[in-house]
Amino acid sequence: MEVQSSNNGGGHSSFSSLRVYLNSLSSTPSRLARRAVSVSTSSEETSRVRAVSGEQMRRTLRWYDLIGLGIGGMVGAGVFVTTGRASRLYAGPSIVVSYAVAGLCALLSAFCYTEFAVHLPVAGGAFSYIRTTFGEFPAFFTGMNLVADYVMSNAAVSRSFTAYLGTAFGISTSRWRFVVSSLPEGFNEIDPVAVVVVLAITVIICCSTRESSKVNMIMTAFHIAFIVFVIVMGFLKGDSKNLTAPAKAEHPSGFFPFGAAGVFNGAAMVYLSYIGYDAVSTMAEEVQNPVKDIPVGVSGSVAIVTVLYCLMAVSMSMLLPYDLIDPEAPFSAAFRGFTKVVGIGASFGILTSLLVAMLGQARYMCVIGRSRVVPACFAKIHPRTSTPVNASAFLGIFTALLALFTDLNILLNLVSIGTLFVFYMVANALIFRRYVPVGPTKPWPTLTFLTLFSIFSLVFTLVWKLAPQGKVKAFMLGASAVVAIATVLIFQHVVPQANKPELWGVPFMPWTPCVSIFLNIFLLGSLDAPSYVRFGYFSGLIVIVYLFYGVHASSDAEANGSFGVKEDGQALKELTEV
């Protein structure tokens, strides 16, 4: 039985025959020890590893393209759902403060992404950042979890497009879909509209990144026009009394009806509305001037979206008292008489977020293919379009199949955790990159600090979520916070920065990424049990794929000279020896 080699060149292949493959499996422990935490250098990522794709992606994007992609990726359907739930259940009128807090959190994570993207302008985003710090397997683990989240999230968003499109035209969603009784519940409602939308966007992103950016710009312009309409109508027709007075006197009143806890719980919920800026970092390989354009594009898009979200929250809160807001469709309820306008605006938002997310997922898959831990065919860049056509088409078709029959609620229970986990890993990777020198230096002081800080952040999160209200809870939260802050202060004064950035760097190290680490752990603690069940299943599958394919394919690539370990005395081995 012959198995196609994963290496597009000569030399040894563990997949040349079944006998050779079975023999290679016996070498798994030694290969795992060598490859799992093998790191690559920035120069390797931008030269030898990128050469696996053959053709190069064209550098056609500028800072305004990145801002457009960032806004398009973030301002999707999420804001139309999370705002209502967070306001009604947690924050009340102070939902505007929740959005400001969540925006600050997103900006801190965006800073971490920006420093990596400026110094490592490749299409792999978080995968490449983690691969150059923690090694191959941690990068593969986080990267594939993120790709899985992208695919399922895109499938869910495309199905919600059908619902909003029906609202825009005044047609029931049931008219767009049909039921197949022979299929199990939750998988029996066929949605051909979602499939058409996903496949159409797949064709667009395969043709040209520049043209995709233009399409995004047009749709984003329409969507922002709708958002401006929402804001203006809220300020014109709303009543400032609704910012402090509920409809029913028995409900808590004031701008902060649920106190500080309500603001932060609301921030945890609405933070998911900011997810999408990370896809912009995957465009780094196609940016004309990464040093100037990426910081403006990434940070600028997060700042603009934060302002828009806060104004939308104020608008909604002025139109209705918080206890009358519909948690499922807040803006539709607040804008009765303008239902079709809401449907059209939300439809444009869904299309832009879908386009940006599908651009991002394809580039993640492309760079994972370059590392050979998945088949190298996914890394290929089409010579005419300069886009990763194979990765785009494969993930597009897979997304369309999920969107065809899988119920929206099932998909929504499976998303978010992978993205937050990657944000957490990137913040850790940035601290590791700054404080661990390249060469024969032990990384354990930094690794110990990262582990302790994560533990203290987890303790704080568990106390916040599980402990009953009272003085004991307040004491435990205060103690956890003091210990975490003391740990950062000790680390800052004991361990010097070893690699200060030459081009663009995150300010206030290590505090900025530490706050990002804490906030991502805090938000991970707000997710439901099905999210962690999904994470467990996919994590197990990813480990199996790596053990039975990835580690052998990357070992073959190293043996054949496609890429190798660092030449400066095998820095990884030196870093990981006790």
Side-chain angles (χ1 to χ4, degrees):
M1 175 180 175
E2 294 294 321
V3 183
Q4 180 67 36
S5 170
S6 65
N7 302 308
N8 294 335
H12 172 73
S13 171
S14 298
F15 308 95
S16 59
S17 69
L18 179 59
R19 181 182 60 81
V20 172
Y21 174 66
L22 293 176
N23 186 59
S24 298
L25 289 179
S26 64
S27 303
T28 299
S30 60
R31 290 182 169 186
L32 194 63
R34 178 173 178 78
R35 295 300 311 170
V37 289
S38 61
V39 296
S40 62
T41 63
S42 298
S43 60
E44 286 175 344
E45 290 290 324
T46 55
S47 56
R48 195 188 306 184
V49 174
R50 188 161 65 177
V52 175
S53 292
E55 299 291 329
Q56 293 195 8
M57 300 180 190
R58 296 193 188 106
R59 293 190 176 275
T60 58
L61 302 180
R62 296 299 307 273
W63 62 268
Y64 47 82
D65 293 298
L66 298 183
I67 288 180
L69 290 167
I71 295 173
M74 282 181 277
V75 188
V79 66
F80 296 101
V81 178
T82 58
T83 304
R85 292 184 62 81
S87 179
R88 179 69 178 269
L89 304 177
Y90 297 112
S94 64
I95 182 65
V96 61
V97 182
S98 296
Y99 266 114
V101 171
L104 176 62
C105 302
L107 191 62
L108 295 177
S109 289
F111 281 162
C112 299
Y113 269 83
T114 299
E115 178 172 326
F116 272 115
V118 167
H119 292 267
L120 188 59
V122 294
F127 173 82
S128 297
Y129 311 155
I130 296 171
R131 189 165 180 253
T132 58
T133 50
F134 295 135
E136 182 176 275
F137 176 70
F140 180 66
F141 183 84
T142 54
M144 290 306 296
N145 260 299
L146 184 57
V147 169
D149 262 26
Y150 265 122
V151 169
M152 289 182 290
S153 176
N154 291 338
V157 167
S158 64
R159 285 182 72 91
S160 68
F161 174 81
T162 304
Y164 278 106
L165 191 66
T167 301
F169 288 99
I171 301 174
S172 172
T173 305
S174 60
R175 298 279 299 275
W176 300 92
R177 298 170 178 164
F178 58 92
V179 177
V180 178
S181 57
S182 59
L183 294 175
E185 186 70 24
F187 300 91
N188 60 346
E189 200 169 275
I190 307 302
D191 191 336
V193 174
V195 174
V196 171
V197 169
V198 170
L199 293 181
I201 292 178
T202 299
V203 172
I204 292 172
I205 66 175
C206 283
C207 290
S208 168
T209 302
R210 182 61 184 165
E211 296 306 315
S212 299
S213 176
K214 291 179 180 177
V215 171
N216 173 73
M217 284 286 196
I218 295 171
M219 293 191 295
T220 299
F222 280 109
H223 192 211
I224 290 179
F226 161 71
I227 291 174
V228 171
F229 165 80
V230 169
I231 294 169
V232 171
M233 291 298 293
F235 279 93
L236 289 178
K237 294 183 175 294
D239 188 345
S240 60
K241 292 182 180 179
N242 291 332
L243 295 175
T244 55
K248 297 180 180 180
E250 61 267 24
H251 291 156
S253 61
F255 187 71
F256 298 94
F258 302 103
V263 171
F264 286 103
N265 285 330
M269 178 168 285
V270 302
Y271 182 79
L272 299 181
S273 299
Y274 286 91
I275 289 177
Y277 64 83
D278 59 301
V280 178
S281 69
T282 67
M283 304 288 119
E285 198 169 313
E286 298 158 270
V287 176
Q288 289 185 11
N289 190 338
V291 176
K292 293 182 179 180
D293 293 342
I294 291 175
V296 174
V298 177
S299 303
S301 62
V302 173
I304 292 172
V305 167
T306 300
V307 173
L308 291 176
Y309 281 170
C310 289
L311 291 175
M312 287 179 73
V314 173
S315 171
M316 183 193 68
S317 298
M318 290 177 66
L319 282 167
L320 285 176
Y322 78 89
D323 54 347
L324 291 183
I325 292 173
D326 184 349
E328 300 301 327
F331 289 97
S332 296
F335 287 86
R336 297 188 191 280
F338 298 96
T339 304
K340 291 186 178 181
V341 176
V342 173
I344 293 171
S347 297
F348 277 114
I350 289 170
L351 288 176
T352 57
S353 64
L354 192 59
L355 186 146
V356 175
M358 292 182 69
L359 279 169
Q361 71 181 18
R363 278 144 186 80
Y364 273 117
M365 196 68 173
C366 171
V367 175
I368 294 173
R370 287 176 181 174
S371 70
R372 304 301 180 86
V373 287
V374 298
C377 62
F378 291 121
K380 293 305 175 185
I381 304 297
H382 195 279
R384 186 173 62 83
T385 64
S386 296
T387 58
V389 172
N390 291 347
S392 300
F394 172 77
L395 293 177
I397 293 171
F398 193 70
T399 301
L401 289 174
L402 278 179
L404 177 64
F405 60 84
T406 309
D407 183 75
L408 179 64
N409 290 326
I410 293 176
L411 288 168
L412 288 177
N413 280 334
L414 301 176
V415 300
S416 299
I417 188 170
T419 305
L420 290 173
F421 180 70
V422 171
F423 291 170
Y424 164 79
M425 288 294 292
V426 169
N428 278 277
L430 180 63
I431 294 176
F432 189 91
R433 179 180 183 272
R434 284 281 200 103
Y435 286 89
V436 177
V438 175
T441 304
K442 303 298 183 288
W444 302 118
T446 302
L447 291 176
T448 301
F449 162 71
L450 293 175
T451 302
L452 289 175
F453 186 78
S454 293
I455 291 173
F456 297 144
S457 299
L458 181 60
V459 169
F460 183 96
T461 300
L462 292 176
V463 172
W464 179 279
K465 298 295 180 184
L466 302 178
Q469 294 293 334
K471 293 183 178 180
V472 175
K473 179 177 181 177
F475 172 78
M476 293 177 68
L477 289 175
S480 300
V482 168
V483 172
I485 292 171
T487 303
V488 178
L489 284 170
I490 293 171
F491 175 75
Q492 185 179 22
H493 288 88
V494 172
V495 182
Q497 286 194 52
N499 304 300
K500 293 187 178 181
E502 298 178 0
L503 302 174
W504 191 95
V506 172
F508 309 115
M509 287 292 291
W511 294 96
T512 300
C514 282
V515 173
S516 180
I517 289 170
F518 165 75
L519 291 171
N520 283 301
I521 291 176
F522 186 80
L523 295 172
L524 283 167
S526 69
L527 298 178
D528 56 11
S531 297
Y532 286 94
V533 172
R534 193 284 307 169
F535 187 73
Y537 281 131
F538 273 96
S539 297
L541 179 61
I542 289 167
V543 171
I544 290 172
V545 171
Y546 186 75
L547 290 177
F548 287 90
Y549 179 85
V551 69
H552 304 289
S554 66
S555 293
D556 292 345
E558 180 186 343
N560 296 331
S562 296
F563 55 80
V565 295
K566 293 190 285 189
E567 297 176 358
D568 55 354
Q570 293 192 3
L572 171 72
K573 182 178 179 181
E574 295 161 350
L575 285 174
T576 54
E577 287 179 348
V578 180

